[in-house]
Amino acid sequence: MALARARAVAVLGVEGHLVEVEADLADGLPRLTLIGLPDTALHESRDRIRAAVVNSGHKWPDRRITLGLFPATLPKAGSGFDLAMAVAVLSAAAVVPPESLLRRVFIGELALDGRVRAVRGVLPAVLKAAAAGVDRVVVPAANAAEAALVPGARVEPAIDLAGVLSVLRGEAAAPEVTAPPPTAPTPAEVPGLDLADVAGQTRGRLAVEVAAAGGHHLFMQGPPGSGKTMLADRLPGLLPMLDTDASLEVTAVHSVAGLLPSNAPLVTRPPYRSPHHSATPAALIGSGSAVIRPGLASQAHRGILFLDEAPEFNRQSLDALRQPLESGTIEVARARATARFPARFQLVLAANPCPCAKARGPRGTGCECPSLVRRRYLARLSGPLLDRIDIQVALSAPSRAELRADVGRSATSTQVATRVAGARERAGARLAGTPWRVNAEVPGPALRRLWPLPTKVTAVAERAFDAGLLTARGLDRVHRLAWTFADLAGRPSPGPEQFGAALDLRLPGWAA
C-alpha cells in the first residue's frame, strides 16, 4: 500500500478551511474512489486529473486509488482541489517525493492538457493558509497577483502540471511572486462624474456630503429630473479610497464572486452596485446550494448599494436588507452548509412621489394620482426599513433661477471629498480602539455611554422623540448625524446647531 498527503483549501462564504487530501494506492481493479462530501464538480475531477497526468507525460497508476478529502464533514465544492489531488496521487505513486508536499498548499483547476486554470476564492484561501503557518502556496499563474496580496505569503505561480512536478522533484527552481507596494489612501474620484454637475440641489448635495462623511444610509424622494440618480452616482467619488484591511475584505468578496480582473487584483475603490428593480432576494443577499455566492449587498461591502426606483423592487427583496443594515453581515443558510458574507454597505434609495412620476406644484405637469394611490406607492417601502435609513430628504425640481445661480459656484467632488476625508479623519481619531470606523456604525447605547452630551444640546431631538416623530432607533440616527455634522465643522462635539441640522435631514420640514 502507498499513501501520500497534500493540502488544499475549501472556501465557504469568504472563510477558508484547510483540507487534507489523502491518496491511497492499493492492489485491485483499477478505479478511483472519491470520498469526503464532494460535489458534482469534484466528482468530475476524476477524469480531469487522469487526463492531465497522462498529457503531462506521466503514467496513470493502474491500481485501486482512493482519494479522501478531510475533514469529511466539511462540504467541498468546485474544481480548486484538482491540483492537490493530482500531486497526491503522483506522490503516492513515487513520482514526486512526499516531503515536497508537506510545506505547500495546492490550489487550482486542471485542464485536460495539464494546464492549471484560474479559480475563484484564491485570496481567502491564501489568507487561511498563511494564518495556518503554511510555508508556500501553489496557485494558478492567473491568480498569482491576487494571492501575493496576502502579507507574508510565499506564492508559487503554476502554469501547468508538468512545471509543478518539476519544482516538486527539485528539477527547477520555484518561481515566486511578490505583492505590489501599498499605496496611501486618497479620495476615490470617479472620472467624468462631478458633484458640481448637479445644479440647483443645495439640499441634495448636503445630504450626500453628510452621507459620505459619516457612512450614513440615504433616502431621496422627488420627481423625475430632481437629480436623485445624479447625486447617487457621484456619491462614490466623495468616499476615501479603501485602507489595506478594507481592501482585503472587499477583494476577498469579489474573489469568491469571480469579479476580480486579472490586471488589477486588489480592490482599492469603494464598490458601487446599482441593480435593476427586478432583482430577486437571492440576487441581493446571495444564492447557491453547493457553492454559495455573495449577492449584490455583499459585493457592495465598504461601498454603495443604490436602489433606484426603490418602490418598484419586490418588497421581499427590500426587507431582506433590514438585517444586514444592522449587523453588517449576511448569513445564507442551505441544507449542507451556512455561508457568512460581510455586508457593511451604504444603502441609497431613490423614489418618485407617485406611480405616474409627475411633479405637483407651479411647474408640475399635473399629477392626478389620488392621495390613496400615492400612499400605497410609498408604502411599498416598509416602515422598519425606512427607520433604518439615517438621512431622508425630499427633493424638488430646481427652478431656472436656481440652475443659473449654481453655475460655476457649486463645490466640486474634489473639494467635497477633501472635507469628507477631514471629517472621517476626525471620526477615526475619536473611534480609535473601537470596532467601528465611521459614525454610522456606532450603536446608540455605546454613543451615549462613551460620548455623553448635555441635555441642552440634545433637547431638540428629544422633543421630536417625545412627540412620537422619532422612534428610539431614529433618535440614535439623529445622534450619529449630529456627530457627523460636528466632524465636518471641525468641532470636538456637536452642539444644538448640529442636532438641528441632523434632525432636519431626518425629519425634513419639522419645526421644533
Side-chain angles (χ1 to χ4, degrees), residues 6 64 85 88 99 105 122 144 154 195 199 207 263 275 298 342 355 362 406 423 431 463 486:
R64 187 178 68 192
M85 291 191 291
E99 58 272 13
V105 159
V122 167
R154 301 180 64 183
L195 191 62
N263 59 343
S298 294
D406 273 353
L431 300 175
R463 285 199 299 270

mmCIF file of all heavy atoms in Angstrom, residues 6 64 85 88 99 105 122 144 154 195 199 207 263 275 298 342 355 362 406 423 431 463 486:
data_model
loop_
_atom_site.group_PDB
_atom_site.id
_atom_site.type_symbol
_atom_site.label_atom_id
_atom_site.label_comp_id
_atom_site.label_asym_id
_atom_site.label_seq_id
_atom_site.Cartn_x
_atom_site.Cartn_y
_atom_site.Cartn_z
ATOM 1 N N ALA A 6 -1.499 15.700 0.576
ATOM 2 C CA ALA A 6 -1.312 17.067 0.122
ATOM 3 C C ALA A 6 -2.366 17.918 0.813
ATOM 4 O O ALA A 6 -3.297 17.398 1.436
ATOM 5 C CB ALA A 6 -1.437 17.172 -1.398
ATOM 6 N N ARG A 64 -5.995 0.492 -7.593
ATOM 7 C CA ARG A 64 -7.207 0.996 -6.962
ATOM 8 C C ARG A 64 -6.824 2.234 -6.138
ATOM 9 O O ARG A 64 -6.067 2.127 -5.167
ATOM 10 C CB ARG A 64 -7.828 -0.064 -6.066
ATOM 11 C CG ARG A 64 -9.199 0.342 -5.510
ATOM 12 C CD ARG A 64 -9.781 -0.761 -4.663
ATOM 13 N NE ARG A 64 -9.005 -0.941 -3.433
ATOM 14 C CZ ARG A 64 -9.148 -1.982 -2.607
ATOM 15 N NH1 ARG A 64 -9.990 -2.940 -2.920
ATOM 16 N NH2 ARG A 64 -8.406 -2.077 -1.526
ATOM 17 N N MET A 85 -5.161 17.018 -5.621
ATOM 18 C CA MET A 85 -5.432 15.594 -5.797
ATOM 19 C C MET A 85 -4.441 14.961 -6.765
ATOM 20 O O MET A 85 -3.980 13.829 -6.564
ATOM 21 C CB MET A 85 -6.875 15.393 -6.280
ATOM 22 C CG MET A 85 -7.921 15.743 -5.231
ATOM 23 S SD MET A 85 -9.600 15.214 -5.667
ATOM 24 C CE MET A 85 -9.935 16.318 -7.029
ATOM 25 N N ALA A 88 -1.079 14.520 -5.042
ATOM 26 C CA ALA A 88 -1.170 13.486 -4.018
ATOM 27 C C ALA A 88 -1.102 12.102 -4.642
ATOM 28 O O ALA A 88 -0.413 11.204 -4.136
ATOM 29 C CB ALA A 88 -2.463 13.660 -3.215
ATOM 30 N N GLU A 99 7.895 14.512 0.925
ATOM 31 C CA GLU A 99 8.256 15.648 1.779
ATOM 32 C C GLU A 99 8.098 16.986 1.067
ATOM 33 O O GLU A 99 7.956 18.035 1.712
ATOM 34 C CB GLU A 99 9.688 15.498 2.276
ATOM 35 C CG GLU A 99 10.738 15.377 1.188
ATOM 36 C CD GLU A 99 10.954 13.932 0.744
ATOM 37 O OE1 GLU A 99 10.121 13.075 1.106
ATOM 38 O OE2 GLU A 99 11.950 13.678 0.047
ATOM 39 N N VAL A 105 0.578 24.337 0.053
ATOM 40 C CA VAL A 105 -0.853 24.181 -0.203
ATOM 41 C C VAL A 105 -1.048 24.348 -1.702
ATOM 42 O O VAL A 105 -0.450 25.231 -2.328
ATOM 43 C CB VAL A 105 -1.681 25.224 0.574
ATOM 44 C CG1 VAL A 105 -3.057 25.418 -0.044
ATOM 45 C CG2 VAL A 105 -1.843 24.791 2.026
ATOM 46 N N VAL A 122 -9.350 32.591 -4.382
ATOM 47 C CA VAL A 122 -7.943 32.358 -4.071
ATOM 48 C C VAL A 122 -7.496 33.207 -2.881
ATOM 49 O O VAL A 122 -6.755 32.735 -2.006
ATOM 50 C CB VAL A 122 -7.060 32.620 -5.305
ATOM 51 C CG1 VAL A 122 -5.587 32.697 -4.929
ATOM 52 C CG2 VAL A 122 -7.270 31.519 -6.332
ATOM 53 N N ALA A 144 -1.941 34.534 -9.366
ATOM 54 C CA ALA A 144 -0.743 34.770 -8.554
ATOM 55 C C ALA A 144 -0.725 36.172 -7.959
ATOM 56 O O ALA A 144 -0.381 36.359 -6.785
ATOM 57 C CB ALA A 144 0.506 34.525 -9.394
ATOM 58 N N ARG A 154 4.214 33.217 0.560
ATOM 59 C CA ARG A 154 5.200 32.876 -0.471
ATOM 60 C C ARG A 154 4.454 32.137 -1.578
ATOM 61 O O ARG A 154 4.074 30.971 -1.430
ATOM 62 C CB ARG A 154 6.321 32.017 0.110
ATOM 63 C CG ARG A 154 7.060 32.687 1.255
ATOM 64 C CD ARG A 154 8.158 31.812 1.811
ATOM 65 N NE ARG A 154 9.217 31.551 0.826
ATOM 66 C CZ ARG A 154 10.270 30.759 1.059
ATOM 67 N NH1 ARG A 154 10.386 30.147 2.239
ATOM 68 N NH2 ARG A 154 11.183 30.573 0.140
ATOM 69 N N LEU A 195 -19.712 66.317 -8.657
ATOM 70 C CA LEU A 195 -20.872 66.774 -7.889
ATOM 71 C C LEU A 195 -21.317 68.154 -8.329
ATOM 72 O O LEU A 195 -22.496 68.511 -8.187
ATOM 73 C CB LEU A 195 -20.535 66.762 -6.397
ATOM 74 C CG LEU A 195 -21.699 66.954 -5.430
ATOM 75 C CD1 LEU A 195 -22.722 65.831 -5.579
ATOM 76 C CD2 LEU A 195 -21.200 67.019 -3.993
ATOM 77 N N ALA A 199 -26.852 70.802 -10.478
ATOM 78 C CA ALA A 199 -27.159 72.212 -10.220
ATOM 79 C C ALA A 199 -28.516 72.352 -9.551
ATOM 80 O O ALA A 199 -29.448 71.583 -9.794
ATOM 81 C CB ALA A 199 -27.132 73.001 -11.531
ATOM 82 N N ALA A 207 -26.887 66.463 1.570
ATOM 83 C CA ALA A 207 -27.239 65.121 2.033
ATOM 84 C C ALA A 207 -26.174 64.109 1.653
ATOM 85 O O ALA A 207 -25.771 63.274 2.476
ATOM 86 C CB ALA A 207 -28.602 64.721 1.470
ATOM 87 N N ASN A 263 -5.746 42.041 -14.216
ATOM 88 C CA ASN A 263 -4.742 43.097 -14.234
ATOM 89 C C ASN A 263 -4.821 44.027 -13.032
ATOM 90 O O ASN A 263 -3.959 44.877 -12.843
ATOM 91 C CB ASN A 263 -4.872 43.935 -15.518
ATOM 92 C CG ASN A 263 -6.250 44.566 -15.648
ATOM 93 O OD1 ASN A 263 -7.199 44.156 -14.991
ATOM 94 N ND2 ASN A 263 -6.363 45.572 -16.501
ATOM 95 N N PRO A 275 -28.453 47.650 -8.917
ATOM 96 C CA PRO A 275 -29.208 46.612 -9.624
ATOM 97 C C PRO A 275 -30.520 47.137 -10.197
ATOM 98 O O PRO A 275 -31.071 48.156 -9.746
ATOM 99 C CB PRO A 275 -29.466 45.560 -8.540
ATOM 100 C CG PRO A 275 -29.483 46.349 -7.269
ATOM 101 C CD PRO A 275 -28.472 47.449 -7.460
ATOM 102 N N SER A 298 -23.402 42.034 -0.520
ATOM 103 C CA SER A 298 -22.035 41.733 -0.099
ATOM 104 C C SER A 298 -21.019 42.281 -1.082
ATOM 105 O O SER A 298 -19.929 42.713 -0.687
ATOM 106 C CB SER A 298 -21.851 40.218 0.052
ATOM 107 O OG SER A 298 -22.645 39.720 1.099
ATOM 108 N N PRO A 342 -19.527 39.372 4.587
ATOM 109 C CA PRO A 342 -19.607 40.735 5.115
ATOM 110 C C PRO A 342 -20.502 41.596 4.235
ATOM 111 O O PRO A 342 -20.532 41.431 3.012
ATOM 112 C CB PRO A 342 -18.147 41.206 5.075
ATOM 113 C CG PRO A 342 -17.526 40.414 3.971
ATOM 114 C CD PRO A 342 -18.219 39.077 3.980
ATOM 115 N N PRO A 355 -46.804 56.765 -8.647
ATOM 116 C CA PRO A 355 -46.559 55.920 -9.816
ATOM 117 C C PRO A 355 -46.430 56.675 -11.120
ATOM 118 O O PRO A 355 -45.639 56.300 -12.000
ATOM 119 C CB PRO A 355 -47.780 54.998 -9.844
ATOM 120 C CG PRO A 355 -48.315 55.000 -8.451
ATOM 121 C CD PRO A 355 -48.010 56.355 -7.910
ATOM 122 N N PRO A 362 -46.279 74.541 -9.049
ATOM 123 C CA PRO A 362 -46.396 75.534 -10.131
ATOM 124 C C PRO A 362 -45.818 75.040 -11.443
ATOM 125 O O PRO A 362 -46.341 75.347 -12.505
ATOM 126 C CB PRO A 362 -45.628 76.740 -9.597
ATOM 127 C CG PRO A 362 -45.425 76.513 -8.142
ATOM 128 C CD PRO A 362 -45.557 75.069 -7.893
ATOM 129 N N ASP A 406 -26.330 78.359 -9.640
ATOM 130 C CA ASP A 406 -25.315 77.368 -9.276
ATOM 131 C C ASP A 406 -24.196 77.242 -10.298
ATOM 132 O O ASP A 406 -23.219 76.539 -10.056
ATOM 133 C CB ASP A 406 -25.975 75.992 -9.098
ATOM 134 C CG ASP A 406 -26.485 75.806 -7.679
ATOM 135 O OD1 ASP A 406 -26.204 76.672 -6.840
ATOM 136 O OD2 ASP A 406 -27.152 74.791 -7.422
ATOM 137 N N ALA A 423 -13.387 64.992 7.815
ATOM 138 C CA ALA A 423 -14.379 64.547 8.800
ATOM 139 C C ALA A 423 -14.126 63.103 9.209
ATOM 140 O O ALA A 423 -14.229 62.746 10.392
ATOM 141 C CB ALA A 423 -15.782 64.703 8.216
ATOM 142 N N LEU A 431 -12.816 57.303 17.251
ATOM 143 C CA LEU A 431 -13.226 55.895 17.327
ATOM 144 C C LEU A 431 -12.049 54.943 17.425
ATOM 145 O O LEU A 431 -12.246 53.719 17.384
ATOM 146 C CB LEU A 431 -14.071 55.539 16.099
ATOM 147 C CG LEU A 431 -15.365 56.335 15.917
ATOM 148 C CD1 LEU A 431 -16.043 55.969 14.607
ATOM 149 C CD2 LEU A 431 -16.309 56.099 17.087
ATOM 150 N N ARG A 463 -37.281 66.321 22.011
ATOM 151 C CA ARG A 463 -38.655 66.808 21.854
ATOM 152 C C ARG A 463 -39.340 66.100 20.690
ATOM 153 O O ARG A 463 -40.533 65.774 20.762
ATOM 154 C CB ARG A 463 -38.655 68.322 21.632
ATOM 155 C CG ARG A 463 -38.381 69.129 22.885
ATOM 156 C CD ARG A 463 -38.852 70.577 22.737
ATOM 157 N NE ARG A 463 -38.170 71.262 21.653
ATOM 158 C CZ ARG A 463 -37.041 71.939 21.806
ATOM 159 N NH1 ARG A 463 -36.447 71.996 22.995
ATOM 160 N NH2 ARG A 463 -36.489 72.566 20.779
ATOM 161 N N ALA A 486 -20.693 67.640 13.301
ATOM 162 C CA ALA A 486 -19.618 68.202 14.109
ATOM 163 C C ALA A 486 -18.253 67.909 13.482
ATOM 164 O O ALA A 486 -17.369 68.772 13.467
ATOM 165 C CB ALA A 486 -19.685 67.642 15.529
#
